[in-house]
Amino acid sequence: MIGGIVLILILYGVTQPLLTSLKGKQKAVNLQVLNNLYWYHMLFVAIYYTYGQFRNSDSHAYYHNAEFPEVGWMELFSNGTHFIEWLAFPFVQYLHFNYEMMMVLFGWLGYIGFLFFYLFFKENLNLRIKFQGYDIVTLLMFLPNMHFWTSSLGKGSAIFCGIGMLVYGLSYPGHRKVILAVGGFLTYFIRPHIFFAIMIGMGLSFLLGREKMPLYQKVLSVIIGITISVLIYDKLLIYLRLDEDNVWESFVSQTGFTAGQLQHAGSSVDMRSYSLPVKLFTFWFRPLFIDAPNFLGIFVSVENLFCLVYFTKIFQRDFLSFIRQASAMVKMSAVVFISISFSMTFVMSNLGIIIRQKSMIMYFMFFVVVAFLDWKETKRLKRRMKYAQLRTQRKRELEKKWEVMRKGQGV
């Protein structure tokens, strides 16, 4: 326990130079918000640690396998579960981190994910959109369910860190090669299909985006995205256990089998008979109070209600106009959110697992909605400025006419 507390303080000190450097590059960064976010996230590390003492948590298995490995460190290097054990191995074996310290370390990775998503939002938006008087970007960074599932030793915190770094790097890939590489590395080796979806989204967004960039750069981005997708395609099929000769049928068969297996867990919902819209609604916004399986489910329902209200803001007639002229980052986020949501609905049939899995992609949806609201507010302000300018111009014209009339009458 003491080791975990000491590590929290050490990592706080390690984080400060990083925050200071980022503040120097982006004036919109609020250091107080990011420091508060650090302590808020560490609170959830403590909450998840307590939760894990009374519930069956994967973090115990990850730590045990890193402490008593059946194979050497490099033999653990592979996709999925073993990659988390590979990450944990040197800290447990060589630095002798105990369980609490590993929880803090991986919780810190989750915080880094929030940090880069915060930067991604801030540099791609023009204004401070408010929700009930609060800065919406800041508010989104403090959603409790997002912190709970990214605050422990496991895939959730590490992949959230990887995705955050990856999307931040994609904003300016030429200037953020290291961040882009680290984010891609973490995302690919934890969940290759997520990396695959982001690469496809990146290629489409740079091709269809409205940014003023040379055609060769757009084509090059698409070629890079396609090349990476082709290179990982075979490994992705193996990871997902799909048949190369009949990908769709094997996908349906495999996802049906997985969904059936998840039916045996608690808080299950039989999504296999649902229509696609109902499946998507279930994945994004359930539980919603009436189907909350326990106290945690009721707590999550409050956040889901907020997400539902927030999501409904896109159902406006000018949303399609916005998407057509949106930036590459907005289009990438939309593609990633929809494609991953679509695939997940075929697999998920347990509310507990749904709550955990959707934390990987919800910030993509949040970004699209915030960008839409930002676009609308920018248009409104431009109209007001134009109207004010027309009024000023009209006033000046009237003053000139009045002055001419006065001179003509000899007043």
Side-chain angles (χ1 to χ4, degrees):
M1 181 65 73
I2 298 299
I5 295 174
V6 171
L7 186 59
I8 289 175
L9 298 175
I10 292 174
L11 291 175
Y12 177 75
V14 169
T15 303
Q16 295 310 299
L18 173 62
L19 298 185
T20 302
S21 173
L22 293 171
K23 175 65 175 178
K25 297 176 181 178
Q26 297 188 35
K27 301 303 180 184
V29 172
N30 188 321
L31 292 182
Q32 183 177 357
V33 168
L34 293 178
N35 281 318
N36 291 341
L37 189 66
Y38 177 86
W39 295 113
Y40 182 77
H41 192 70
M42 288 302 158
L43 172 64
F44 276 88
V45 173
I47 292 173
Y48 195 99
Y49 171 77
T50 304
Y51 170 84
Q53 301 307 304
F54 301 96
R55 299 290 296 270
N56 183 23
S57 171
D58 292 341
S59 58
H60 294 290
Y62 284 123
Y63 182 78
H64 178 271
N65 293 339
E67 187 178 21
F68 303 105
E70 297 180 356
V71 295
W73 183 29
M74 293 313 298
E75 291 175 289
L76 288 172
F77 187 75
S78 60
N79 298 98
T81 299
H82 290 310
F83 181 74
I84 301 300
E85 296 166 1
W86 179 83
L87 285 177
F89 186 99
F91 295 97
V92 176
Q93 292 293 325
Y94 306 139
L95 299 180
H96 303 291
F97 276 30
N98 58 27
Y99 172 73
E100 289 79 9
M101 295 174 74
M102 291 304 300
M103 290 287 284
V104 170
L105 179 64
F106 272 72
W108 181 73
L109 290 179
Y111 166 75
I112 295 299
F114 281 100
L115 170 62
F116 281 108
F117 267 113
Y118 175 84
L119 296 172
F120 174 69
F121 273 66
K122 284 294 184 179
E123 74 177 8
N124 286 286
L125 299 174
N126 299 318
L127 304 168
R128 290 168 59 90
I129 305 298
K130 301 289 185 178
F131 181 86
Q132 300 296 321
Y134 296 96
D135 174 33
I136 188 63
V137 174
T138 301
L139 189 62
L140 291 173
M141 292 300 117
F142 285 87
L143 293 176
N145 185 56
M146 302 296 293
H147 286 269
F148 184 79
W149 297 112
T150 57
S151 61
S152 69
L153 170 58
K155 295 178 183 177
S157 56
I159 193 171
F160 189 71
C161 176
I163 294 173
M165 297 179 74
L166 186 57
V167 297
Y168 177 72
L170 286 173
S171 294
Y172 294 96
H175 302 284
R176 297 169 181 169
K177 296 182 181 67
V178 174
I179 294 175
L180 191 59
V182 174
F185 174 78
L186 289 173
T187 306
Y188 171 71
F189 279 100
I190 298 172
R191 297 196 184 278
H193 57 292
I194 302 296
F195 179 80
F196 187 78
I198 293 176
M199 287 299 100
I200 292 176
M202 181 197 76
L204 291 175
S205 65
F206 278 109
L207 181 64
L208 303 175
R210 304 279 294 188
E211 284 78 4
K212 294 180 179 179
M213 57 187 302
L215 179 61
Y216 82 89
Q217 290 187 10
K218 289 190 175 185
V219 174
L220 183 61
S221 299
V222 174
I223 291 174
I224 292 174
I226 294 175
T227 301
I228 293 175
S229 299
V230 170
L231 290 175
I232 70 171
Y233 180 72
D234 290 341
K235 291 185 177 181
L236 182 65
L237 293 180
I238 294 173
Y239 176 79
L240 297 177
R241 300 175 183 175
L242 301 181
D243 181 4
E244 183 177 3
D245 296 326
N246 203 330
V247 174
W248 177 250
E249 285 190 10
S250 60
F251 170 75
V252 173
S253 176
Q254 180 64 27
T255 53
F257 173 76
T258 303
Q261 291 294 104
L262 292 175
Q263 284 289 316
H264 299 296
S267 68
S268 62
V269 287
D270 189 3
M271 291 174 60
R272 290 174 293 181
S273 61
Y274 291 175
S275 64
L276 180 59
V278 177
K279 283 183 177 182
L280 291 172
F281 182 88
T282 299
F283 180 67
W284 292 336
F285 306 121
R286 288 179 66 185
L288 269 177
F289 298 107
I290 58 174
D291 56 0
N294 48 39
F295 176 77
L296 179 61
I298 296 174
F299 186 74
V300 173
S301 295
V302 176
E303 185 172 317
N304 283 341
L305 180 60
F306 167 80
C307 294
L308 177 58
V309 171
Y310 189 62
F311 182 76
T312 57
K313 294 184 181 295
I314 69 171
F315 294 104
Q316 301 179 33
R317 60 184 179 181
D318 52 353
F319 180 73
L320 292 179
S321 298
F322 160 72
I323 284 294
R324 282 196 296 267
Q325 57 187 278
S327 68
M329 292 299 100
V330 172
K331 290 175 179 175
M332 180 199 71
S333 298
V335 170
V336 171
F337 178 69
I338 294 298
S339 61
I340 295 177
S341 296
F342 179 82
S343 62
M344 286 289 187
T345 58
F346 283 89
V347 180
M348 299 293 101
S349 60
N350 177 275
L351 288 178
I353 298 175
I354 287 173
I355 293 168
R356 183 190 312 174
Q357 294 292 331
K358 71 181 181 182
S359 63
M360 294 184 296
I361 62 168
M362 290 306 287
Y363 277 119
F364 289 107
M365 183 270 281
F366 293 146
F367 178 72
V368 173
V369 180
V370 172
F372 173 54
L373 298 178
D374 186 70
W375 175 77
K376 287 192 64 176
E377 183 66 12
T378 301
K379 283 184 63 178
R380 187 182 69 83
L381 289 178
K382 286 181 177 179
R383 285 196 300 265
R384 288 183 59 183
M385 290 177 62
K386 185 177 181 179
Y387 179 69
Q389 290 173 353
L390 289 173
R391 287 186 60 185
T392 301
Q393 182 180 354
R394 180 61 177 167
K395 182 178 179 181
R396 288 174 180 173
E397 290 175 352
L398 290 173
E399 288 176 348
K400 286 180 180 180
K401 288 182 179 180
W402 176 248
E403 187 67 24
V404 170
M405 291 176 60
R406 289 182 58 190
K407 289 180 178 180
Q409 296 175 1
V411 179

